[in-house]
């Protein structure tokens, strides 16, 4: 399951100016070469990371048919054969799935032995896509839920204290500006809110690059690379 918005000005601005999205994109790009062969991207959305993978073939699955994935489906019941994929990508999806054990069992089933899973989930983030928002994970929590079928070979934190503070301030101020001008068209209000926050986002992004490493216990999200046993 992956609750994904349709393409919009709001989504475009958040993807390229929103601090967590910038940091998340950099993390996926750093690790993208680990994803190769026949690849399944679960909750692919608008496929923003496709270019970073070394896949020989790339299959997308999403629960939102409007996004035109290759397959409309659910992570808890993947419509694929056992061992069909060399790699599986599952980014910012698992927190929205009530049955994580079954979901990971399905991912393991469709992966070949020693296949690679790229998985990410938030550790600090407000409620979103309600009511389907169930979990937050630390890197230890991810290792625990993966241990039956996978071996974690790499993990890295995405963001930290200052990137989190900056992103929350930017998001809430954009929401304030959106509500401040109810007479404007919806897209215009989104555009105004996010454009007005560009200086704030740039400032906190630069600050986070300098100061986030000083607080290693804080993270917005975790990204892990795991190998099927």
């Amino acid at each position: 399951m992956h609750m994904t918005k349709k393409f919009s000005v709001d989504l475009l601005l958040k993807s390229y100016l929103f601090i967590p999205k910038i940091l998340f994109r950099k993390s996926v790009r750093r690790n993208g070469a680990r994803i190769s062969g026949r690849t399944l991207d679960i909750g692919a959305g608008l496929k923003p990371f496709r270019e970073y993978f070394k896949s020989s073939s790339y299959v997308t699955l999403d629960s939102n048919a409007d996004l035109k994935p290759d397959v409309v489906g659910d992570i808890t019941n993947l419509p694929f054969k056992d061992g069909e994929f060399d790699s599986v990508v599952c980014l910012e999806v698992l927190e929205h799935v009530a049955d994580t054990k079954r979901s990971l069992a399905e991912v393991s089933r469709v992966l070949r032995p020693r296949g690679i899973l790229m998985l990410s989930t938030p550790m600090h983030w407000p409620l979103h896509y309600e009511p389907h928002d169930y979990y937050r994970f630390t890197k230890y929590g991810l290792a625990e839920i993966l241990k039956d079928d996978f071996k974690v070979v790499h993990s890295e934190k995405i963001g930290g204290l200052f990137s989190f503070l900056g992103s929350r301030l930017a998001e809430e101020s954009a929401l304030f500006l959106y509500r401040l001008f109810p007479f404007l068209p919806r897209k215009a209000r989104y555009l105004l809110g996010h454009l007005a926050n560009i200086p704030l986002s740039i400032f906190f992004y630069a600050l986070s690059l300098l100061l986030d490493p000083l607080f290693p216990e804080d993270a917005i999200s975790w990204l892990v690379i795991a190998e099927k046993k």
Side-chain angles (χ1 to χ4, degrees):
M1 179 182 295
H2 193 195
M3 310 297 176
T4 316
K5 296 180 180 178
K6 293 182 180 179
F7 181 78
S8 63
V9 171
D10 177 51
L11 182 59
L12 176 65
L13 289 169
K14 280 192 172 185
S15 295
Y16 291 94
L17 297 176
F18 195 43
I19 297 170
K21 296 292 185 183
I22 297 170
L23 298 174
F24 189 65
R25 184 177 293 275
K26 289 174 66 175
S27 181
V28 175
R29 183 170 61 239
R30 277 195 300 271
N31 293 280
R34 299 172 183 263
I35 301 301
S36 60
R38 181 165 170 78
T39 300
L40 171 64
D41 191 342
I42 299 172
L46 293 169
K47 313 171 189 64
F49 308 117
R50 170 69 183 91
E51 63 184 292
Y52 303 142
F53 306 139
K54 306 298 182 182
S55 309
S56 58
S57 65
Y58 178 72
V59 179
T60 60
L61 179 141
D62 203 290
S63 61
N64 187 347
D66 292 340
L67 295 171
K68 299 181 180 179
D70 297 313
V71 179
V72 177
D74 192 289
I75 189 174
T76 59
N77 188 24
L78 295 174
F80 304 107
K81 299 177 182 177
D82 294 359
E84 186 171 342
F85 295 97
D86 302 295
S87 304
V88 171
V89 177
C90 185
L91 303 176
E92 307 297 288
V93 172
L94 206 60
E95 68 273 17
H96 299 294
V97 182
D99 194 341
T100 55
K101 183 175 182 180
R102 179 174 176 178
S103 300
L104 290 174
E106 278 291 278
V107 170
S108 176
R109 180 184 64 78
V110 302
L111 264 177
R112 65 166 175 80
R114 301 192 69 180
I116 296 298
L117 167 64
M118 176 185 283
L119 175 70
S120 73
T121 60
M123 187 172 98
H124 292 302
W125 204 246
L127 289 171
H128 56 291
Y129 301 129
E130 298 175 62
H132 302 289
D133 188 7
Y134 305 110
Y135 303 109
R136 297 294 181 267
F137 296 92
T138 66
K139 67 176 182 179
Y140 304 109
L142 290 176
E144 178 67 24
I145 63 175
L146 287 167
K147 69 179 183 180
D148 289 342
D149 295 324
F150 294 92
K151 174 185 177 183
V152 174
V153 297
H154 175 73
S155 65
E156 64 182 57
K157 76 186 189 82
I158 299 171
L161 178 61
F162 287 88
S163 52
F164 177 75
L165 290 174
S167 62
R168 294 296 298 128
L169 285 171
E171 187 169 52
E172 290 302 318
S173 60
L175 184 60
F176 171 77
L177 289 172
Y178 176 84
R179 292 170 175 168
L180 191 61
F181 301 99
F183 52 87
L184 292 176
R186 181 172 177 270
K187 288 185 178 181
R189 287 186 284 163
Y190 272 129
L191 183 62
L192 173 65
H194 290 301
L195 288 179
N197 275 295
I198 289 176
L200 182 65
S201 293
I202 292 174
F203 171 75
F204 269 98
Y205 176 65
L207 197 64
S208 72
L209 295 178
L210 291 173
L211 299 180
D212 276 355
L214 301 179
F215 301 89
E217 67 277 10
D218 284 290
I220 295 176
S221 300
W222 285 95
L223 183 141
V224 301
I225 305 296
E227 182 182 87
K228 180 179 174 179
K229 293 179 182 178

